[in-house]
């Protein structure tokens, strides 16, 4: 049972509070019952308190409704998928996340130091393939994402009839249409997950390219402001911000 705790005295703190020390405001007791047990802090072995956690309020600025946590689960899983199985990014396996008071907290999952070197050749081979074939792969990516969105938009959820047609009785169909609702619902969730996988195909590679460019600029022009480097790449064509009716 969750009990209300006194506010943390931040003036006396020398570090961020541990998850087990986070207070629960009055009136929010029992909030964790809204979510699956594996998504909330439990600190059964003490390990959760030893990790660094941050609230990802940039991507998830509001409290999760219980069903909405699948968005966090899909995102975190697919990020880890590309770090570990697809690209084998040498120092990073991904992130884990928990929900506290409805907000999403993340903690990075590092690769053990003795395993980093072995991942470097495979990472270079895979990342190089993308950078050397960027235009064609990106065009194929757009087709995959657009195709997924089109299929999502084609799904239909119609009200069930008050009674099935008499022909269904004669034919022995033995269905009332609810199976179509469930099939389309399941397909909608699958397509959402599919586009989360596509989302991360290029994302981290883009960040890596920017970091490489950032480091190059700092090396060649030591006094260049960070903002000046950011302005060099801000003219990118963002389909996300184009009007739907264009």
């Amino acid at each position: 049972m969750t009990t209300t705790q006194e506010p943390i005295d931040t003036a006396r703190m020398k570090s961020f509070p541990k998850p087990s020390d986070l207070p629960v405001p009055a009136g929010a007791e029992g909030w964790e019952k809204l979510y699956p047990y594996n998504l909330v802090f439990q600190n059964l072995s003490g390990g959760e308190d030893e990790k660094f956690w941050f609230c990802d309020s940039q991507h998830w600025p509001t409290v999760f409704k219980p069903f909405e946590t699948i968005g966090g689960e899909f995102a975190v899983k697919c990020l880890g998928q590309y770090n570990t199985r697809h690209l084998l990014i040498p120092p990073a396996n991904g992130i884990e996340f928990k929900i506290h008071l409805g907000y999403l907290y993340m903690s990075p999952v590092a690769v053990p130091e003795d395993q980093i070197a072995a991942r470097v050749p495979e990472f270079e081979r895979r990342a190089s393939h993308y950078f050397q074939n960027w235009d064609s792969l990106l065009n194929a990516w757009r087709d995959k994402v657009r195709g997924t969105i089109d299929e999502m938009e084609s799904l239909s959820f119609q009200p069930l009839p008050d009674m099935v047609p008499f022909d269904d009785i004669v034919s022995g169909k033995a269905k009332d249409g609810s199976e179509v609702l469930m099939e389309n619902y399941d397909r909608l969730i699958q397509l959402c997950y599919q586009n989360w996988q596509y989302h991360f195909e290029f994302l981290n590679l883009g960040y890596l390219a920017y970091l490489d460019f950032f480091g190059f600029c700092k090396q060649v022009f030591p006094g260049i402001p960070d903002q000046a480097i950011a302005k060099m790449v801000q003219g990118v064509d963002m389909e996300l911000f184009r009007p739907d009716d264009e």
Side-chain angles (χ1 to χ4, degrees), residues 113-158:
E113 190 170 348
D114 60 351
Q115 298 178 17
I116 293 177
R119 295 170 67 142
V120 171
E122 195 62 41
F123 165 74
E124 291 178 341
R125 183 164 75 110
R126 295 170 183 231
S128 295
H129 172 75
Y130 268 93
F131 289 129
Q132 292 169 8
N133 300 277
W134 189 271
D135 289 343
S136 61
L137 290 171
L138 186 58
N139 287 333
W141 178 87
R142 288 194 181 98
D143 291 340
K144 291 185 295 188
V145 172
R146 187 68 256 178
T148 304
I149 295 172
D150 289 344
E151 185 177 349
M152 293 174 75
E153 293 177 342
S154 72
L155 296 175
S156 176
F157 298 90
Q158 300 298 326

Side-chain angles (χ1 to χ4, degrees), residues 146-187:
R146 187 68 256 178
T148 304
I149 295 172
D150 289 344
E151 185 177 349
M152 293 174 75
E153 293 177 342
S154 72
L155 296 175
S156 176
F157 298 90
Q158 300 298 326
L160 296 177
D162 292 334
M163 63 177 179
V164 300
F166 183 69
D167 288 344
D168 290 355
I169 304 299
V170 175
S171 66
K173 184 177 181 179
K175 297 179 180 179
D176 70 345
S178 58
E179 75 285 351
V180 177
L181 288 177
M182 290 188 286
E183 289 168 1
N184 286 350
Y185 171 81
D186 290 342
R187 184 58 181 162

Side-chain angles (χ1 to χ4, degrees), residues 3-72:
T3 57
T4 303
Q5 302 174 10
E6 293 296 324
I8 297 175
D9 185 357
T10 55
R12 300 176 60 185
M13 287 176 51
K14 295 184 179 180
S15 64
F16 292 108
K18 299 177 180 179
S20 61
D21 292 335
L22 294 172
V24 176
E29 298 87 351
W31 65 269
E32 67 276 9
K33 296 178 182 178
L34 292 171
Y35 305 98
Y37 72 92
N38 60 300
L39 296 186
V40 300
F41 289 112
Q42 299 186 66
N43 201 40
L44 298 178
S45 63
E48 290 177 351
D49 273 352
E50 302 306 316
K51 298 177 181 179
F52 172 74
W53 298 90
F54 63 94
C55 182
D56 185 9
S57 56
Q58 178 181 8
H59 294 99
W60 318 97
T62 58
V63 168
F64 274 103
K65 297 180 178 67
F67 177 75
E68 293 174 345
T69 59
I70 66 169

Side-chain angles (χ1 to χ4, degrees), residues 2 9 15 22 25 37 47 67 83 103 132 149 177 191-192 194 203 207 212-213:
T2 302
D9 185 357
S15 64
L22 294 172
Y37 72 92
F67 177 75
N83 281 14
Y103 291 94
Q132 292 169 8
I149 295 172
L191 291 169
C192 177
Q194 179 170 289
L203 184 67
Y207 286 144
D212 191 50
F213 178 69

